[in-house]
Amino acid sequence: MLEARALTALREAGADEKSATATTRAMLHASRLGVDSHGIRLTSFYADSLRTGQVNANPVFKPHRTAAASAMLDADHGLGHAAAYAGMELACEIAKDSGIGAVGITHSTHYGAAGAYALAGAEAGFISLSTTNADSLVALHDGTARFHGTNPIAAAAPVPGQKPWLLDMATSAIPYNRILLFRSLQRELPPDVTADISGAPTRDPHLAEILTPLGGRDFGFKGAGLAGLVTILSAVLTGSTPDHLVVPMNPEDGNATRHDIGHFCLAIDPERFIGREGYDALITQYLAGLRASPGSAPDTPMLAPGDREWATMEEREMLGIPVDPTTAAFLKLI
Amino acid sequence: MLEARALTALREAGADEKSATATTRAMLHASRLGVDSHGIRLTSFYADSLRTGQVNANPVFKPHRTAAASAMLDADHGLGHAAAYAGMELACEIAKDSGIGAVGITHSTHYGAAGAYALAGAEAGFISLSTTNADSLVALHDGTARFHGTNPIAAAAPVPGQKPWLLDMATSAIPYNRILLFRSLQRELPPDVTADISGAPTRDPHLAEILTPLGGRDFGFKGAGLAGLVTILSAVLTGSTPDHLVVPMNPEDGNATRHDIGHFCLAIDPERFIGREGYDALITQYLAGLRASPGSAPDTPMLAPGDREWATMEEREMLGIPVDPTTAAFLKLI
């Protein structure tokens, strides 16, 4: 039902079939795994971006193999999801032949949860990485202005007989949506994660306008460095716009200037390194060791990246995906 | 002088020429750039490890191209530096042909500063990545025991007419050597970076035995996730030993059991993505924007990863590399 309504809403906003399908798939990935900030609630945002023309509703993709292990994909300013799934699929095909495959995606737009694409790669049997740059929201370490985007790093690895290992993290301490959530809850933010518009640290969600990089006051240079690595791979390498020059997607302003961000897809075939059998044994041994490692709550196993998300998915398969009232109204669910 | 004495000390401990040369080169990289924890002071540690036989003084490397873009290199339990330089060189050669190149190194040992190898790749014109796993010192998020190694991520990117962009970071909040330094200084550690042997947080350097992952109490799952990514790429993919099962290198105990860690090398040729000219223009524009971004200290430009290290290098080229008394005595400098 949710899927059908999201598809309809995107089609009605003009999206071609591949864009509507991929965007819905990526939003449902996020909603199923509990990443609600990037879930089905984004449908109206994407629909509005299509209607203002900032996002191309009928993009023509131009994948271009540049060498045995590399390719470029021009996303033609369409919704980023379709380009990112296509890019990861191509990276996996290349990796199958060449051991590793990298695809740079240029002229793209917001692609939702980075983990969706890394997961697609792991489900196909590859260790996978997906990164994207974004419009600036995050200060540099000791900086007082927005510079980097929240620039996520998503990585996934196949695990025999289990759900993949799955990491999907912003390189800022918290995502921007956390500020909005705390505003509506009237709750104080954690220390060291946001600043006001002048760059002064604040815990007041109504004053918070700038995110700080992962690592806080003492180690924020690490989060800022990782954000920079993401910009270099996603935008500089692919010929897209660096974060601080990206025109935000604010469809409510009617802005039709191209967003023009980039994504980077990497797939690695374990078959061409230690071999599948050796890889399967070692990833199983590593994760068994991790889950058996002692934690502060006795009798509660440690969680590997993704474990919490897979538990949420099981729960939501039984109880359904929670939909906020605004989104429910938009999707005509109520 | 420093270089000659380090070479001599390693040769006297039995190291073959390629091991002695590469290890000295990597230690001098760290000493020149101010990463003294991984600098020339490690000479006696490596010499002792060769003498106990835990490290093979005459390793035979077996690089093995597995596909158009991938290779494995068996380090034969030699000093990690020679294998890591050879692996990065091979990754660059592969990337030149195939757009991207990945080399998995197995059966290796401590390789010093990860940045040395990423830098070598960037100096050859490639965006480069070097990771290594290590024996366990770092707790999981909410964990109370050592599980991951300090598992660094080093990345570098060429910049036309400038020193490379260079990030070299442990995925723990602080490196283990920081504890030892604070012990000798009798100084309290920053909050949220270490725990005592039972896993309870402590700021007392004499009680600190476990490091906590980057991100602190609230966001340590990100540092732990990145450490896991490093283990998967460096050890699981390459058929080496996962961190929590690695036998430490403690030559003072006379332990001769193989260390058996792994490294991962990645090189990306910008020529096969946006092209060299486009890449050069964008990395220059990105870094100019970064350095001009406003910071808390007015009139002081923001630093890109590596900027502080390049400034230290200039300073040390004039003033020399500081050598602690123990190392100076070992190298017969005093």
Side-chain angles (χ1 to χ4, degrees):
Chain A
M1 173 66 101
L2 213 48
E3 186 172 2
R5 293 294 170 88
L7 274 170
T8 303
L10 293 170
R11 282 184 195 128
E12 284 176 1
D16 64 8
E17 205 47 35
K18 72 172 178 306
S19 299
T21 309
T23 302
T24 302
R25 178 183 168 196
M27 291 192 296
L28 279 176
H29 156 86
S31 281
R32 284 199 183 104
L33 271 65
V35 190
D36 290 313
S37 55
H38 289 70
I40 208 74
R41 65 174 275 277
L42 290 177
T43 315
S44 67
F45 166 72
Y46 294 130
D48 291 347
S49 302
L50 291 163
R51 287 208 172 87
T52 63
Q54 189 176 21
V55 173
N56 182 356
N58 294 278
V60 178
F61 290 167
K62 305 175 183 87
H64 169 55
R65 186 82 169 255
T66 58
S70 55
M72 282 290 295
L73 191 157
D74 187 327
D76 197 19
H77 306 286
L79 288 165
H81 320 75
Y85 277 122
M88 184 56 79
E89 204 171 304
L90 180 54
C92 292
E93 276 174 41
I94 295 176
K96 190 81 199 158
D97 287 339
S98 300
I100 180 163
V103 178
I105 300 175
T106 188
H107 304 322
S108 190
T109 67
H110 194 265
Y111 81 174
Y117 317 104
L119 178 61
E123 285 176 342
F126 301 88
I127 299 177
S128 303
L129 204 71
S130 175
T131 66
T132 182
N133 78 314
D135 49 305
S136 60
L137 283 173
V138 188
L140 292 164
H141 186 54
D142 282 333
T144 55
R146 295 170 168 186
F147 184 74
H148 284 123
T150 52
N151 294 10
I153 297 175
V159 185
Q162 298 175 34
K163 288 285 180 190
W165 178 96
L166 174 62
L167 176 70
D168 182 358
M169 53 169 270
T171 51
S172 51
I174 60 167
Y176 191 72
N177 277 296
R178 194 74 54 86
I179 296 180
L180 306 181
L181 177 66
F182 276 57
R183 270 183 205 165
S184 69
L185 297 174
Q186 303 282 344
R187 247 179 78 188
E188 197 174 45
L189 287 156
D192 278 342
V193 302
T194 49
D196 65 23
I197 197 66
S198 77
T202 182
R203 299 184 61 180
D204 180 341
H206 299 284
L207 295 178
E209 294 287 347
I210 303 177
L211 300 170
T212 51
L214 172 66
R217 207 177 333 184
D218 290 329
F219 307 104
F221 62 93
K222 296 191 179 189
L226 291 170
L229 177 59
V230 169
T231 302
I232 290 172
L233 292 175
S234 310
V236 173
L237 181 67
T238 67
S240 308
T241 304
D243 317 5
H244 67 293
L245 302 172
V246 169
V247 175
M249 283 169 73
N250 288 327
E252 68 277 18
D253 301 341
N255 190 344
T257 312
R258 295 306 191 189
H259 192 53
D260 194 38
I261 59 169
H263 321 306
F264 182 71
C265 317
L266 188 73
I268 303 172
D269 188 359
E271 192 59 47
R272 305 295 185 138
F273 291 85
I274 185 58
R276 184 62 63 172
E277 205 178 326
Y279 170 84
D280 283 353
L282 275 170
I283 191 87
T284 303
Q285 181 186 42
Y286 164 67
L287 289 174
L290 188 158
R291 295 190 180 109
S293 188
S296 56
D299 307 322
T300 308
M302 284 283 104
L303 298 181
D307 284 354
R308 198 174 47 128
E309 287 75 13
W310 300 127
T312 303
M313 190 178 75
E314 262 188 42
E315 198 182 282
R316 291 189 172 188
E317 274 169 3
M318 291 186 298
L319 303 177
I321 292 167
V323 181
D324 65 273
T326 314
T327 304
F330 177 80
L331 294 175
K332 305 190 178 73
L333 293 163
I334 47 176
Chain B
M1 173 66 100
L2 212 49
E3 184 172 2
R5 293 295 170 86
L7 275 170
T8 303
L10 293 169
R11 284 184 194 128
E12 283 177 3
D16 64 8
E17 206 48 34
K18 73 172 178 305
S19 299
T21 309
T23 302
T24 302
R25 178 183 169 197
M27 289 191 297
L28 279 175
H29 155 87
S31 281
R32 284 200 183 103
L33 271 64
V35 190
D36 291 313
S37 56
H38 290 71
I40 208 74
R41 64 173 277 276
L42 290 176
T43 315
S44 68
F45 166 73
Y46 294 130
D48 290 348
S49 302
L50 291 162
R51 287 207 171 86
T52 63
Q54 188 176 19
V55 173
N56 183 357
N58 295 277
V60 177
F61 289 168
K62 306 176 183 87
H64 169 54
R65 186 82 169 255
T66 57
S70 55
M72 283 288 296
L73 192 157
D74 187 328
D76 197 19
H77 305 286
L79 288 166
H81 320 73
Y85 276 122
M88 184 54 80
E89 206 173 303
L90 180 54
C92 292
E93 277 174 40
I94 295 176
K96 191 81 198 156
D97 287 339
S98 299
I100 181 164
V103 178
I105 301 175
T106 188
H107 304 322
S108 191
T109 67
H110 194 264
Y111 81 173
Y117 317 105
L119 178 60
E123 285 176 341
F126 302 88
I127 299 176
S128 304
L129 203 73
S130 175
T131 66
T132 183
N133 78 315
D135 49 307
S136 61
L137 283 172
V138 188
L140 292 164
H141 186 53
D142 282 332
T144 56
R146 294 170 168 186
F147 184 73
H148 284 122
T150 51
N151 294 10
I153 296 175
V159 186
Q162 298 175 34
K163 288 283 180 189
W165 179 96
L166 174 62
L167 176 71
D168 182 358
M169 53 168 271
T171 51
S172 50
I174 59 167
Y176 191 72
N177 275 296
R178 195 74 54 87
I179 296 180
L180 305 182
L181 177 66
F182 276 56
R183 270 183 205 166
S184 69
L185 298 173
Q186 302 282 343
R187 247 179 77 189
E188 198 174 45
L189 288 155
D192 277 341
V193 302
T194 50
D196 66 22
I197 198 65
S198 76
T202 182
R203 298 184 61 180
D204 180 342
H206 300 284
L207 295 177
E209 294 287 347
I210 303 177
L211 299 171
T212 50
L214 172 66
R217 206 176 334 182
D218 290 328
F219 307 104
F221 62 93
K222 296 191 180 190
L226 290 171
L229 177 59
V230 170
T231 303
I232 290 172
L233 292 175
S234 311
V236 172
L237 181 67
T238 67
S240 307
T241 304
D243 316 5
H244 68 292
L245 303 171
V246 169
V247 176
M249 283 169 74
N250 288 326
E252 68 276 18
D253 301 342
N255 190 344
T257 311
R258 294 306 190 190
H259 193 51
D260 194 39
I261 59 169
H263 321 307
F264 182 72
C265 316
L266 188 73
I268 303 172
D269 188 359
E271 193 59 47
R272 306 295 187 138
F273 291 85
I274 185 57
R276 183 63 63 172
E277 204 179 325
Y279 170 85
D280 283 353
L282 275 170
I283 191 88
T284 303
Q285 181 185 43
Y286 164 68
L287 288 174
L290 188 158
R291 294 190 180 108
S293 188
S296 55
D299 307 322
T300 308
M302 284 283 106
L303 299 180
D307 285 354
R308 199 174 47 130
E309 287 74 14
W310 300 126
T312 303
M313 190 178 74
E314 262 188 43
E315 196 182 284
R316 292 189 172 187
E317 274 169 3
M318 292 187 295
L319 303 175
I321 291 167
V323 181
D324 65 274
T326 315
T327 303
F330 177 79
L331 294 176
K332 304 190 179 72
L333 294 163
I334 46 174

